[in-house]
Amino acid sequence: MILDGKAPTGPIETTWDKHRFDMKLVNPANKRKFKILVVGTGLAGGAAAASLGELGYNVEAFCYQDSPRRAHSIAAQGGINAAKNYPNDGDSVYRLFYDTVKGGDFRAREADVWRLAQVSNNIIDQCVAQGVPFARDYAGYLDNRSFGGAQVSRTFYARGQTGQQLLLGAYSALSRQIKNGSVNMFARREMLDLVVVDGAAKGITCRNLVTGEIESYWGDAVVLATGGFVNVFYLSTNAMGCSVTAKWRATKKGAYMANPCYTQIHPTCIPQHGDKQSKLTLMSESLRNDGRVWVPKKAEDTNKHPSEISEQDRDYFLERKYPSFGNLAPRDIASRAAKEACDDGRGVGESKRGVFLDFKASIDRLGQSTIAERYGNLFDMYYKITAEDGYERPMRIYPAPHYSMGGLWVDYQCMSNIPGLFVLGEANFSVHGANRLGASALMQGLADGYFVIPYTIAPYLTSITPGQIKTDHDAFKESQESVQQEISKMLSIKGKKTVGELHRALGNVMWEDVGMARSDASLKHALKRIPEIREEFWTNVNVTGGAMELNQQLENAWRLADFLEFSEMMATDALHREESCGGHFRVEHQTDDGEAMRNDEDFCYSAAWEFKGVGKAPELHKEPLKFENVKLAVRSYK
């Protein structure tokens, strides 16, 4: 099937404005008749629930945490992009659009990226009005810093805790609507099924994580904003509760999963320090503004204290390989360069899987107090984890799984191929292509929540009658029974392996075979091993505790069960895409100097996969990508 993204036509500068005018609206009196379910309350979901509630819709919002304030959005550190051009350094909406399309290695839909760039400036105004404490310069104006893949300073920030501050702003807006009664908040619920009636999304089935009760909720539309899936690698920068479950359950009900092989490896993480570690810690990309990345030129120097290695014996490899962008090369390129240096035997630290991030030159130039003002909490966090002072000794960093560019397929309205199912933020595939530029995740989440979904949900709602399908429909009973049976099956296995052991086994396969470098052989090996691990899960896992109680082992079990199915589709997508682009690096497709080599003739499309059953090959649907405003070109940062 050839998919239609329903992108508007005409001059791209007017597409979003014209599209908003052409869309059908729901009048204020009728908005009160519709109920919308919002699953996930991070930046995208929290902003969407607050905005839809303020418009007058009845909203029910769900999160598996005890409070929306604990959404993983708080972990975003470095900043949020917008084309305000406050530094007067040449930025514009078009340049942000161009940088994002190029940064995604020409694998994103142009119209969606333009809309993101256009509304980015509104996000900053919205957040300032909410009281988000963005950094300011000496005159009191909002400050900006640089991020990878751009030659302008467009990133607004709040030290190294931008995500937390933005989430508090969205949470304040959400709390206001909860108090007003337009949003009903359901915490400690995890969505375990999408209820589809006559081909349209009409509700969800959840488990109450405190009592164990299986609950159903009806809605005229369902909005998924449930984040990414990189915990398929087991070790990642994501919170341990982040999973593919909500998206995968929607996929099993017919939603298409687009570009699942597009995952991002972040170059600036604290290296793994043991076999029993359960997650990795991100150090913000913003540190690369003032930190210089290097390794010793000679392998025999890797055991020396960095101060003992002379300047001429250091390889500032990002500055050497990419002089135009230097230490602010995009994440996929910087990650592969760091891996290459370590594979060459020049990695540092006990594991030899690390490179230095050195602030000495910046401290000498600006003073330690200035560096502390910009990144102090990040230096504190690094010290607490490593017991090393980043001001006195270079930090050690290494790439780690971080973000999902792939996600559920959506059209320009942010609606999936299932009518009534809308998908926002990291949960959809729409704007980042094969690589996300730093500080664009927060931008997409808030753009989708505050400024896109309030418009684009209206045309669908005008096409239906509100409240036609409720929880007394047979589809809800069938959904509850299906979830109950799955939980009972997991608890009855009583095997010998823990969920953690099996997740670690899957993660090892995914990192080694479907990680930073992929090959035909490695991907075929992964596709052989994944079903074996899945079989062992369903015959030998031991899930302790019961169903009708707080049981985090059970939660981890169903999340792993979904990863064990999703990972097969992810590896299938990676094997199918015979090219290298962005975060998807096939070793068979690279230039003589090791750079990614795209195949625009055969793969200039988004790949949307339809689930056909566990262990069965998914069916591929394609959305061709057209580039009319940014010319397809070799992606170079040299």
Side-chain angles (χ1 to χ4, degrees), residues 5-65:
K6 299 184 176 65
T9 57
I12 199 163
E13 295 83 0
T14 63
T15 48
W16 177 229
D17 294 331
K18 183 176 183 301
H19 189 73
R20 285 187 297 172
F21 179 76
D22 290 342
M23 283 189 293
K24 293 182 178 180
L25 302 177
V26 181
N27 78 53
N30 285 341
K31 285 173 183 168
R32 294 190 293 270
K33 300 175 183 178
F34 289 99
K35 185 166 79 165
I36 303 170
L37 308 184
V38 178
V39 185
T41 53
L43 286 182
S51 300
L52 294 169
E54 189 162 9
L55 284 172
Y57 295 107
N58 294 303
V59 178
E60 292 183 350
F62 303 82
C63 69
Y64 66 73
Q65 302 93 343

Side-chain angles (χ1 to χ4, degrees), residues 397-475:
I397 58 170
Y398 191 70
H402 176 62
Y403 189 87
S404 311
M405 282 81 68
L408 292 181
W409 184 86
V410 293
D411 62 16
Y412 190 72
Q413 309 278 62
C414 285
M415 187 164 75
S416 74
N417 59 294
I418 297 178
L421 177 64
F422 295 81
V423 192
L424 310 182
E426 190 179 359
N428 76 31
F429 86 113
S430 64
V431 294
H432 302 302
N435 174 65
R436 176 177 67 80
L437 293 183
S440 289
L442 303 183
M443 177 174 61
Q444 185 204 359
L446 291 180
D448 286 355
Y450 284 139
F451 299 108
V452 176
I453 193 64
Y455 288 97
T456 61
I457 202 170
Y460 173 73
L461 295 178
T462 61
S463 71
I464 65 171
T465 302
Q468 272 193 317
I469 304 295
K470 297 189 177 181
T471 52
D472 57 359
H473 192 280
D474 287 345

Side-chain angles (χ1 to χ4, degrees), residues 165-221:
Q165 298 302 330
L166 291 172
L167 185 63
L168 289 172
Y171 178 66
S172 68
L174 178 61
S175 296
R176 180 169 174 266
Q177 297 308 315
I178 292 171
K179 183 178 180 181
N180 288 346
S182 59
V183 176
N184 194 6
M185 185 70 225
F186 294 90
R188 301 296 286 147
R189 267 81 170 180
E190 186 158 12
M191 174 185 154
L192 294 181
D193 197 19
L194 177 72
V195 179
V196 177
V197 179
D198 296 329
K202 291 298 180 182
I204 61 173
T205 295
C206 300
R207 181 176 182 267
N208 184 317
L209 299 182
V210 176
T211 67
E213 185 178 356
I214 305 301
E215 304 169 342
S216 288
Y217 300 87
W218 69 270
D220 297 299

